[in-house]
Amino acid sequence: MKDFISFMEKAWWRYVNEGVITEGVKEEIRESWELCKFYGVDPFGGVGEILDEDNMKIRLRQNEDLISVAHPIMENIYKQVTGSGFLFVLVDRDGYLIDRIGDDSIMGETRKLNFVEGALWTEEAVGTNAIALALKLDKPIQLVGAEHYCITHHIATCSAAPIHDENGNIIGCLDMTGLKEDAHPHNLGIVLAGAYSIEKQLALIKSHKLIDATFDSIHEGMLIMDHNFVIQRVNEIALKILNISKKEIIGMHIQSILEDVDIIEDILSQTEPYYDVECIFYGRNKKIPCRINAVPIVANRKIIGTVVTFREEKYVHNVVNKLAGFKASYTFEDIITNDENMKKIIETAKKAAKSDCNILIEGESGTGKELFAQAIHNYSKRSKGPFIAVNCASIPRELVESELFGYERGAFTGANKEGKPGKFELADNGTIFLDEIGELPYEVQSKLLRVLDNHKIVRVGGTEEKKLNVRVIAATNRNLSEEVNKKNFRNDLYYRINVIKINIPPLRERKGDIELLAKVFVERLNRYNALSVSDYKVLSESFIERLMNYNWPGNVRELQNVIDRAYYLTEGKVIIEEYFPENISENSNAQQENNTTVFPIEVIEEKNIREALKIAKGNILTAAEMLNLSRATIYRKIKKYNISVKELLSQIETK
């Protein structure tokens, strides 16, 4: 080493005095000396300039992650060489010193050269040095004595290694500086190992941060427990749902906050995950209904813990409602009318929408009761909540209660083993539309009344009351006051739902809307089917006249059905009279007035059912609505009169 030090001193003097590079000088040293000469670096200088205080604070803040990781590692390395006269220096990617640890003796000597925090240690600033070359060449390097360009550094040996981020980019450098007499190859090995440790620790921290960010970005509460059900980790969403602090919950047994611990125990006994299970959490003396997923953590075939994710049940219901399309599509702008009475009814409905009171909509089948219900919902403050429509006539009698109010797991044979929320729960913070409420079984009416009174439901097979915020809109094609008199409908329930009544008149009572609606339906069909405006179809005067002379027992729904049929059968651009359905042409007002023939009631009933089925194209439920019959009744009548729906459809197709 002494011979090498002497050789380099002579080579340095020769280059400084004569500009000649002695053979045997390392290539990277030669190139650096030449660069320093080009920069005009004083070979007899080498004292670094220091950043001002404000800029130094900025640089330290920019490198705080690097410093926080590197400093403990530098301390550990320094402990191994304490008293040997060495200094460890951390440098950022631009060559600024940002941290250092070392013996007092060497610290004092280097301070004379401003080899301190804030000093810039590049070739242009202080000449050839290990820090500058390690950053520039992106490799570990060791300089001894006169290999430094500036004579003031000739007393030292420096070993430096670059530090990289996870993408291989240089973010700094670790340097070990001491007296040249103490130079040894293992010095470079020490800094290389230190730089590698810093890189790995930074990558690990970033990985942990990524995991933490992922953990906290999950839109569900998450708990991680050990094999004893003690909570070891929790994310922010869980803390928010449970209204608890991280300090309180870490180390807590799951039984302290979860009612159904047996579910978690089942997981450990079966090593099988559970998904979408209803549970009750406790937070701040408050019960929080949630749905949870629980998955065992397995290592070496042993369960070492459990991961539980959960969401509040109301949030799950919102998601389900969106996915299932439980929303109102129509607004008051979709109700087309020129009738002054209808306009007044719409204004009444708008006023009702602004309140939270229950609404009863009465009207014949096909008049647009659900259209009004959806418009009321969308005009109300609940418009962003769910709109749940329930046809009370279509639910089997024995299932009405569970459909409306839900059921707990194991409530009855054939029930979903996890239980199921009812339509009222799904409608929470929104509107439930009870269509054909007159068909509701009498024994269920009392339970509905209780829900309307206290805004709470109890699932079938359960004891827990659930508070709900639901607006009820009911509809019927019956006269409910008459049903009350007949003891078919509870009078107390009738008064509860009939806070505001909206009675939609049949189409025959607003003749002025027939032509208007017909043209609107044709316009919609044109926009959907026609390739250009030149292909648009129009109604002939004779067709409109037939429309005006018909009584429309199926109301707007029947009118739309007739327009759809005529539109698709018409090959030209004008929808003419011949496309008016033959099966309803005999039912015009004029013909009805002149018809004095008396038929047995059963003959009329059978004929009406057949005609309704033809108009409804075989849809039995639609035909039932047109005839003001329940589903059970129309099926019974079809069987009674031996009506074949298939034969009716084939007759229509033949014609």
Side-chain angles (χ1 to χ4, degrees), residues 409-510:
R409 56 182 178 222
F412 50 86
T413 303
N416 188 316
K417 68 176 183 178
E418 306 303 343
K420 183 181 177 182
K423 294 297 192 292
F424 268 88
E425 282 185 69
L426 293 176
D428 197 20
N429 294 312
T431 302
I432 189 167
F433 174 54
L434 300 177
D435 196 11
E436 303 301 346
I437 194 171
E439 304 293 331
L440 205 62
Y442 200 82
E443 62 272 17
V444 178
Q445 293 178 22
S446 60
K447 295 182 179 180
L448 175 59
L449 177 64
R450 178 175 175 80
V451 172
L452 297 180
D453 281 338
N454 62 15
H455 304 287
K456 295 177 181 178
I457 63 105
V458 178
R459 289 186 180 183
V460 176
T463 57
E464 187 82 24
E465 283 192 330
K466 296 190 177 186
K467 183 79 174 176
L468 299 177
N469 177 18
V470 179
R471 202 265 185 83
V472 176
I473 300 177
T476 181
N477 56 15
R478 298 187 181 190
N479 186 322
L480 277 193
S481 61
E482 291 183 6
E483 295 299 312
V484 170
N485 293 333
K486 295 176 183 177
K487 306 298 182 183
N488 292 329
F489 201 84
R490 293 179 63 101
N491 61 346
D492 45 6
L493 178 58
Y494 174 69
Y495 296 132
R496 174 62 70 184
I497 63 174
N498 187 23
V499 178
I500 295 179
K501 181 188 285 187
I502 296 171
N503 203 319
I504 305 175
L507 189 56
R508 62 182 172 274
E509 292 181 10
R510 44 190 178 105

Side-chain angles (χ1 to χ4, degrees), residues 173-235:
C173 173
L174 181 64
D175 172 79
M176 179 179 180
T177 295
L179 297 176
K180 62 185 177 184
E181 291 79 14
D182 297 322
H184 194 281
H186 72 229
N187 294 350
L188 188 58
I190 291 173
V191 294
L192 185 58
Y196 180 79
S197 297
I198 294 169
E199 288 177 351
K200 291 304 176 186
Q201 187 67 22
L202 283 169
L204 185 60
I205 288 174
K206 182 159 187 181
S207 176
H208 286 169
K209 285 184 177 180
L210 184 61
I211 292 172
D212 288 342
T214 303
F215 194 63
D216 285 328
S217 67
I218 294 172
H219 295 301
E220 295 181 327
M222 182 178 283
L223 303 172
I224 298 180
M225 299 173 291
D226 63 18
H227 66 287
N228 291 318
F229 301 133
V230 175
I231 298 170
Q232 302 295 325
R233 197 164 182 183
V234 60
N235 69 351

Side-chain angles (χ1 to χ4, degrees), residues 12 16 36-47 123-128 148-154:
W12 180 83
V16 170
C36 291
K37 191 171 186 179
F38 174 79
Y39 284 149
V41 177
D42 182 4
F44 298 98
V47 178
E123 291 171 292
E124 188 175 359
V126 294
T128 305
H148 296 88
Y149 185 72
C150 294
I151 195 170
T152 50
H153 303 167
H154 287 186

